[in-house]
Amino acid sequence: MIQYAEHEVVPSMQTPLETISVSLRRERERAGLSLSELAKRASIAKSTLSQLEAGSGNPSVETLWALGVALDVPFSRLVEPPEPRVRVIRSGEGPGVASEQASFVGTLLSSCPPSARRDIYVISLEPGSPRVAEPHIPGTVEHLTVAAGRLRAGPEGDPVDLAVGDYLAFPGDVSHVYEALDPGSWAVLVMEHT
């Protein structure tokens, strides 16, 4: 649900899967790639990509990140619906996408307009398997501030333990990890694309 400044609550026009479907087709056509070529570049099955463009399936964070990297676009360009002028996202709402690897959900709060290059997310994590993220587009820097719990995050092989209020900046264009050290951990993540 999107809430406007006049406090009228209006449901979003597209489901998250419909938004992903439209966005994938738009970005693939913009890049001049066939279904087969994009699937190959993203290391996913052509049938999976075809299902996503048809508005079916259940894409993971890893699948969408791989497609974003293959298309050379930020993750947000694939998952965020068209935005009203004033927008409020209440806790627990927004286009959240779960990981296949770990108890990890990334919820896009704001993407960059064409003149800027940053996206803002809320990520929630639970103890268990760490989320290992593949490198994002070149020049990506991640800024992470812990809001609850404790996390271990940063470049794979050199992660940092973080507590509430701690801030971490690290290159997002290398393999990196997120791991909850306490139940109910969550953080605000800003991805800067240069």
Side-chain angles (χ1 to χ4, degrees):
M1 300 287 270
I2 299 171
Q3 184 172 11
Y4 293 89
E6 299 81 19
H7 305 289
E8 175 187 5
V9 177
V10 179
S12 54
M13 297 300 186
Q14 293 181 323
T15 68
L17 196 53
E18 289 169 336
T19 299
I20 291 167
S21 170
V22 169
S23 299
L24 277 173
R25 182 179 307 273
R26 178 193 64 233
E27 294 302 326
R28 180 179 61 77
E29 290 173 354
R30 179 199 54 80
L33 298 175
S34 66
L35 279 170
S36 297
E37 181 59 26
L38 177 55
K40 179 180 174 185
R41 289 183 184 190
S43 299
I44 65 170
K46 180 181 173 185
S47 60
T48 299
L49 179 56
S50 180
Q51 286 177 342
L52 292 175
E53 282 198 6
S56 62
N58 188 17
S60 66
V61 167
E62 291 81 11
T63 297
L64 293 174
W65 279 117
L67 287 163
V69 170
L71 289 164
D72 196 29
V73 299
F75 174 84
S76 59
R77 190 143 337 139
L78 301 179
V79 300
E80 186 163 73
E83 193 173 302
R85 209 169 74 93
V86 175
R87 184 175 69 150
V88 174
I89 300 176
R90 299 291 178 200
S91 180
E93 295 182 358
V97 182
S99 170
E100 292 178 333
Q101 301 173 353
S103 180
F104 175 102
V105 176
T107 301
L108 179 67
L109 299 178
S110 174
S111 65
C112 283
S115 60
R117 302 279 290 178
R118 61 100 189 108
D119 302 322
I120 305 170
Y121 300 86
V122 168
I123 60 171
S124 58
L125 306 88
E126 293 298 333
S129 299
R131 159 126 166 67
V132 179
E134 294 298 316
H136 305 308
I137 59 178
T140 299
V141 176
E142 297 198 13
H143 303 267
L144 185 71
T145 301
V146 178
R150 292 181 313 120
L151 305 178
R152 179 172 294 132
E156 191 173 27
D158 193 23
V160 178
D161 288 1
L162 303 166
V164 172
D166 288 350
Y167 163 81
L168 171 68
F170 62 91
D173 56 2
V174 299
S175 292
H176 49 286
V177 298
Y178 303 96
E179 181 179 3
L181 302 176
D182 289 339
S185 296
W186 67 277
V188 174
L189 172 66
V190 176
M191 295 189 72
E192 174 186 334
H193 309 285
T194 56

